[in-house]
């Protein structure tokens, strides 16, 4: 009986993490042997209406694990920012969970995608347990839409949904500037990723609530982001002229993203309905 009780004792953290992992959990760092796709941290600078973003990622993928890493710098006219799109990628093994992203549209052709992720060292893969035990740093990937969408739609075979939000250009600009302020802060002050409280969806919610206080309350759609699109719809953040299920069907873009993965008009193609 005693042995049975011991066998069911919850594992001590020292039984889960190695000594090196325990030391790593003490303090986050920007200086580790990162995977190439997350090696460069983005930064941004605003002078008047000219927004300069550095280390925008544009990987060329051979498959989900093999790719050629490309980074570039680009200047945007902030006065041309017109839209924000919300992207959800449900997990295949657990569709109540999802990766969520934002994409900021400067007119019809230029889009800057924002993907908040766990940052991996070489040889690391994602573990939900370690995601809750301070084993990954947090990174904001600023990228071409083609990079973050084609990776998931074509190479990981994920379902991908892209929703146009109802954000005005003024709110879009405020939201982007809040995102970029955090990007710059993380370049100087690294943070740990946390699977529950410092992940893709919780950060998007925090940005929205900073520019529009109280807009997104704590909800199951935040804790289980597979429902985040439904939450955004119910809160009026998305177009509500269509029933949600019809809107979701229209928002599904993975097949068209694969079809036009190499098209020069990729961003326009995935928005055609």
């Amino acid at each position: 009986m005693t042995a049975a009780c011991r066998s069911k004792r919850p594992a001590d953290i020292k039984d889960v993490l190695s000594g090196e992992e325990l030391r790593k959990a003490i303090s986050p760092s920007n200086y580790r042997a990162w995977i190439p796709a997350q090696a460069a941290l983005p930064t941004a600078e605003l002078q008047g209406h000219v927004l300069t973003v550095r280390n925008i990622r544009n990987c060329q993928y051979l498959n989900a694990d093999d790719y050629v890493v490309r980074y570039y710098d680009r200047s945007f006219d902030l006065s041309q920012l017109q839209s924000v799109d919300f992207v959800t990628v449900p997990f295949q093994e657990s569709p109540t969970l999802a990766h969520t992203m934002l994409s900021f549209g400067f007119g019809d052709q230029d889009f800057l995608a924002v993907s908040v992720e766990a940052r991996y060292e070489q040889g690391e893969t994602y573990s939900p347990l370690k995601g809750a035990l301070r084993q990954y740093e947090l990174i904001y990937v600023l990228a071409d839409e083609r990079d973050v969408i084609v990776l998931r739609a074509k190479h990981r075979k994920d379902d991908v949904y892209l929703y146009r939000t109802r954000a005005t250009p003024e709110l879009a600009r405020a939201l982007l500037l809040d995102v970029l302020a955090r990007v710059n802060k993380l370049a100087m002050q690294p943070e740990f990723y946390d699977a529950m409280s410092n992940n893709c969806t919780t950060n998007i919610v925090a940005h929205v609530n900073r520019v529009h206080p109280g807009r997104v309350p704590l909800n199951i759609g935040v804790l289980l982001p597979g429902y985040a699109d439904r939450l955004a719809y119910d809160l009026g953040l998305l177009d509500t002229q269509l029933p949600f299920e019809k809107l979701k069907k229209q928002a599904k873009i993975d097949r068209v993203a694969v079809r036009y993965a190499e098209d020069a008009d990729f961003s326009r193609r995935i928005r055609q309905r």
Side-chain angles (χ1 to χ4, degrees):
M1 183 68 175
T2 303
C5 289
R6 282 200 298 266
S7 70
K8 295 181 181 180
R9 176 180 60 85
D12 188 274
I13 189 171
K14 291 182 289 186
D15 298 329
V16 177
L17 301 181
S18 68
E20 178 60 32
E21 289 170 329
L22 285 170
R23 286 190 292 273
K24 175 181 173 181
I26 295 173
S27 179
S29 174
N30 280 335
Y31 302 100
R32 304 192 195 277
W34 307 112
I35 63 170
Q38 295 180 330
L41 288 174
T43 58
E45 180 181 1
L46 180 65
Q47 294 186 343
H49 286 289
V50 179
L51 175 66
T52 301
V53 183
R54 299 181 178 86
N55 290 331
I56 299 173
R57 197 181 75 187
N58 179 25
C59 288
Q60 180 181 358
Y61 294 94
L62 306 176
N63 54 53
D65 300 310
D66 298 315
Y67 46 83
V68 177
V69 182
R70 297 170 177 167
Y71 292 101
Y72 65 93
D73 302 342
R74 183 166 183 183
S75 293
F76 300 88
D77 183 347
L78 193 61
S79 68
Q80 296 301 307
L81 179 57
Q82 298 295 316
S83 64
V84 185
D85 292 335
F86 181 51
V87 181
T88 68
V89 186
F91 292 179
Q92 295 179 23
E93 66 279 10
S94 181
T96 60
L97 302 177
H99 183 58
T100 56
M101 300 182 283
L102 297 175
S103 186
F104 293 86
F106 296 81
D108 295 329
Q109 292 293 328
D110 296 329
F111 292 84
L112 179 66
V114 180
S115 178
V116 183
E117 304 176 3
R119 195 179 188 189
Y120 300 116
E121 295 177 62
Q122 294 177 24
E124 277 188 326
T125 56
Y126 185 73
S127 158
L129 179 59
K130 290 186 177 182
L133 294 176
R134 297 158 61 99
Q135 288 302 294
Y136 309 110
E137 274 78 8
L138 185 76
I139 185 172
Y140 275 51
V141 175
L142 303 185
D144 282 0
E145 283 190 325
R146 189 194 310 270
D147 177 321
V148 295
I149 291 176
V150 170
L151 168 63
R152 291 165 172 84
K154 181 177 181 179
H155 299 294
R156 295 181 181 170
K157 312 299 183 186
D158 290 326
D159 293 337
V160 181
Y161 299 86
L162 185 148
Y163 299 93
R164 178 62 59 92
T165 74
R166 299 174 69 182
T168 64
E170 293 74 22
L171 278 175
R173 288 192 282 273
L175 185 62
L176 178 57
L177 291 177
D178 195 71
V179 166
L180 295 178
R182 183 141 166 75
V183 164
N184 286 340
K185 182 179 179 181
L186 286 170
M188 301 298 295
Q189 301 175 24
E191 297 179 15
F192 283 117
Y193 170 91
D194 187 284
M196 291 298 295
S197 63
N198 199 13
N199 58 43
C200 54
T201 305
T202 60
N203 275 284
I204 290 174
V205 169
H207 290 301
V208 171
N209 283 338
R210 274 196 291 272
V211 301
H212 191 158
R215 188 67 177 88
V216 183
L218 183 62
N219 182 279
I220 191 67
V222 178
L223 301 176
L224 296 176
Y227 302 115
D229 50 358
R230 180 71 207 213
L231 173 62
Y233 179 88
D234 290 343
L235 293 174
L237 296 170
L238 309 180
D239 183 1
T240 56
Q241 295 183 31
L242 295 175
F244 175 71
E245 291 304 326
K246 187 171 183 179
L247 178 67
K248 184 168 185 174
K249 184 177 180 180
Q250 287 189 358
K252 195 170 188 293
I253 62 164
D254 41 280
R255 289 186 179 180
V256 70
V258 172
R259 184 181 310 139
Y260 294 108
E262 304 302 325
D263 196 290
D265 290 330
F266 175 80
S267 290
R268 183 175 61 84
R269 294 286 194 182
I270 62 175
R271 287 172 172 80
Q272 291 177 336
R273 297 291 187 260

XYZ file of all heavy atoms in Angstrom, residues 24 29-32 34-35 37-42 71 116-121 124 135-140 186-187 190-191 193:
280
model
N 18.833 26.820 -16.345
C 18.293 27.640 -17.424
C 17.029 28.371 -16.988
O 16.767 29.499 -17.413
C 17.996 26.748 -18.632
C 17.326 27.444 -19.801
C 17.055 26.454 -20.917
C 16.229 27.079 -22.031
N 15.946 26.113 -23.111
N 17.348 34.468 -21.356
C 18.516 35.003 -22.049
C 18.220 35.140 -23.537
O 17.456 34.361 -24.105
C 19.720 34.079 -21.849
O 20.825 34.505 -22.633
N 18.848 36.125 -24.158
C 18.809 36.247 -25.613
C 20.032 35.611 -26.262
O 20.169 35.649 -27.488
C 18.731 37.723 -26.025
C 17.317 38.274 -25.907
O 16.343 37.529 -25.981
N 17.202 39.583 -25.717
N 20.895 35.022 -25.448
C 22.161 34.503 -25.957
C 22.241 32.994 -25.727
O 22.775 32.516 -24.732
C 23.332 35.226 -25.291
C 23.273 36.714 -25.508
C 22.784 37.555 -24.511
C 23.657 37.277 -26.719
C 22.697 38.927 -24.714
C 23.575 38.646 -26.932
C 23.098 39.461 -25.928
O 23.008 40.816 -26.132
N 21.651 32.261 -26.652
C 21.736 30.807 -26.649
C 21.949 30.354 -28.095
O 21.922 31.168 -29.024
C 20.464 30.181 -26.065
C 20.092 30.663 -24.654
C 19.004 29.794 -24.053
N 18.368 30.395 -22.887
C 18.840 30.358 -21.645
N 19.995 29.754 -21.413
N 18.196 30.915 -20.645
N 20.397 29.328 -30.809
C 19.032 29.257 -31.319
C 18.975 28.539 -32.660
O 19.946 28.531 -33.419
C 18.454 30.665 -31.498
C 18.540 31.526 -30.288
C 19.305 32.638 -30.119
C 17.838 31.338 -29.050
N 19.119 33.161 -28.869
C 18.230 32.389 -28.184
C 16.919 30.394 -28.585
C 17.739 32.521 -26.891
C 16.430 30.521 -27.296
C 16.829 31.568 -26.467
N 17.796 27.981 -32.973
C 17.585 27.458 -34.318
C 17.671 28.629 -35.298
O 17.340 29.771 -34.948
C 16.238 26.724 -34.452
C 15.058 27.679 -34.213
C 16.175 25.529 -33.514
C 13.710 27.076 -34.563
N 15.899 29.732 -37.723
C 14.674 30.475 -38.020
C 14.271 31.422 -36.900
O 13.380 32.257 -37.089
C 13.524 29.505 -38.305
N 14.911 31.301 -35.733
C 14.605 32.196 -34.615
C 15.868 32.853 -34.059
O 15.866 33.374 -32.950
C 13.891 31.421 -33.504
C 12.525 30.889 -33.895
C 11.861 30.124 -32.769
O 12.521 29.515 -31.928
N 10.541 30.147 -32.740
N 16.923 32.851 -34.842
C 18.205 33.343 -34.339
C 18.255 34.860 -34.239
O 18.938 35.406 -33.370
C 19.340 32.844 -35.234
N 17.557 35.564 -35.123
C 17.635 37.026 -35.172
C 16.375 37.640 -34.574
O 15.261 37.346 -35.017
C 17.819 37.498 -36.611
N 16.554 38.490 -33.587
C 15.421 39.195 -32.993
C 15.086 40.432 -33.823
O 15.978 41.190 -34.204
C 15.746 39.628 -31.563
C 15.806 38.529 -30.507
C 16.283 39.113 -29.184
C 14.447 37.861 -30.338
N 13.808 40.670 -34.085
C 13.430 41.882 -34.814
C 13.456 43.103 -33.900
O 13.353 42.989 -32.675
C 12.005 41.577 -35.279
C 11.469 40.652 -34.226
C 12.640 39.823 -33.766
N 16.574 37.129 -43.828
C 16.066 38.271 -43.078
C 16.323 39.532 -43.897
O 17.311 39.616 -44.631
C 16.780 38.413 -41.730
C 16.479 37.318 -40.737
C 17.378 36.274 -40.526
C 15.305 37.331 -39.987
C 17.114 35.273 -39.607
C 15.033 36.332 -39.067
C 15.938 35.306 -38.879
O 15.677 34.321 -37.973
N 3.816 35.232 -32.306
C 4.433 35.139 -30.983
C 4.659 33.659 -30.675
O 3.718 32.866 -30.700
C 3.540 35.785 -29.909
C 4.229 35.754 -28.549
C 3.185 37.222 -30.304
N 5.903 33.294 -30.383
C 6.253 31.878 -30.315
C 7.195 31.572 -29.156
O 7.855 32.464 -28.615
C 6.941 31.456 -31.626
C 6.116 31.731 -32.872
C 6.854 31.384 -34.159
O 7.997 30.868 -34.066
O 6.298 31.628 -35.246
N 7.265 30.286 -28.821
C 8.345 29.792 -27.975
C 9.616 29.771 -28.817
O 9.593 29.347 -29.973
C 8.027 28.391 -27.462
N 10.713 30.221 -28.233
C 11.983 30.296 -28.968
C 12.817 29.055 -28.659
O 13.088 28.756 -27.495
C 12.736 31.565 -28.571
C 13.875 31.942 -29.500
C 14.551 33.222 -29.046
N 15.508 33.683 -30.040
C 16.367 34.679 -29.847
N 16.380 35.325 -28.681
N 17.204 35.041 -30.803
N 13.238 28.356 -29.710
C 13.898 27.066 -29.532
C 15.407 27.151 -29.705
O 15.906 27.785 -30.638
C 13.365 26.046 -30.544
C 11.884 25.796 -30.440
C 11.036 26.132 -31.488
C 11.337 25.240 -29.291
C 9.672 25.910 -31.395
C 9.976 25.013 -29.190
C 9.140 25.351 -30.247
O 7.795 25.135 -30.148
N 16.095 26.454 -28.825
C 17.514 26.213 -29.041
C 17.678 25.043 -30.011
O 16.756 24.242 -30.209
C 18.198 25.888 -27.716
C 18.209 27.037 -26.725
C 18.843 26.638 -25.411
O 20.039 26.279 -25.419
O 18.143 26.668 -24.385
N 16.043 21.413 -29.706
C 14.838 21.427 -28.879
C 13.589 21.216 -29.725
O 13.523 21.630 -30.882
C 14.692 22.768 -28.150
C 15.483 22.887 -26.880
C 15.136 24.159 -26.114
O 14.844 25.192 -26.746
O 15.172 24.110 -24.878
N 11.208 26.826 -19.783
C 12.269 26.192 -20.557
C 12.435 26.794 -21.949
O 13.314 26.379 -22.697
C 12.012 24.692 -20.661
C 12.240 23.960 -19.364
C 13.661 24.157 -18.849
O 14.627 23.705 -19.451
N 13.800 24.861 -17.727
N 11.581 27.749 -22.308
C 11.703 28.434 -23.588
C 11.628 29.937 -23.348
O 10.879 30.398 -22.491
C 10.570 28.045 -24.547
C 10.375 26.559 -24.720
C 9.243 25.927 -24.205
C 11.304 25.790 -25.400
C 9.047 24.568 -24.365
C 11.122 24.427 -25.569
C 9.991 23.820 -25.045
O 9.810 22.471 -25.196
N 12.387 30.680 -24.119
C 12.196 32.117 -24.129
C 11.054 32.465 -25.078
O 10.581 31.624 -25.839
C 13.485 32.827 -24.556
C 14.466 33.085 -23.421
C 15.265 31.860 -23.020
O 15.179 30.829 -23.714
O 15.975 31.914 -22.013
N 10.627 33.717 -25.023
C 9.550 34.215 -25.872
C 10.153 34.995 -27.034
O 11.103 35.755 -26.850
C 8.640 35.136 -25.058
C 7.384 35.668 -25.756
C 6.330 34.561 -25.833
C 6.820 36.871 -24.995
N 9.602 34.803 -28.230
C 10.051 35.573 -29.386
C 8.847 36.056 -30.179
O 7.850 35.336 -30.320
C 10.993 34.746 -30.299
C 11.539 35.619 -31.443
C 10.315 33.491 -30.819
C 12.619 34.947 -32.274
N 8.925 37.294 -30.645
C 7.980 37.821 -31.621
C 8.650 37.697 -32.988
O 9.646 38.375 -33.256
C 7.670 39.286 -31.351
C 6.580 39.550 -30.335
C 6.595 38.947 -29.085
C 5.540 40.431 -30.618
C 5.608 39.203 -28.149
C 4.546 40.700 -29.690
C 4.583 40.081 -28.457
O 3.597 40.337 -27.525
N 11.647 43.199 -25.761
C 12.160 41.830 -25.684
C 13.584 41.725 -26.219
O 14.350 40.855 -25.795
C 11.244 40.877 -26.452
C 9.907 40.556 -25.785
C 9.001 39.797 -26.745
C 10.116 39.752 -24.506
N 13.945 42.598 -27.149
C 15.317 42.594 -27.658
C 16.309 43.004 -26.577
O 17.484 42.616 -26.629
C 15.428 43.524 -28.862
N 14.841 39.923 -22.252
C 14.175 38.665 -22.623
C 13.209 38.194 -21.545
O 13.360 38.518 -20.365
C 15.344 37.693 -22.795
C 16.444 38.269 -21.967
C 16.294 39.757 -22.071
N 12.218 37.429 -21.974
C 11.228 36.853 -21.069
C 11.082 35.369 -21.362
O 11.353 34.914 -22.476
C 9.858 37.522 -21.257
C 9.813 38.987 -20.923
C 8.423 39.575 -21.165
O 7.459 38.787 -21.305
O 8.315 40.806 -21.218
N 8.783 32.240 -22.194
C 7.486 31.815 -22.714
C 6.783 31.030 -21.621
O 7.409 30.295 -20.856
C 7.713 30.932 -23.941
C 6.484 30.222 -24.465
C 5.686 30.803 -25.440
C 6.144 28.954 -23.999
C 4.569 30.145 -25.932
C 5.031 28.289 -24.480
C 4.244 28.887 -25.444
O 3.144 28.228 -25.924
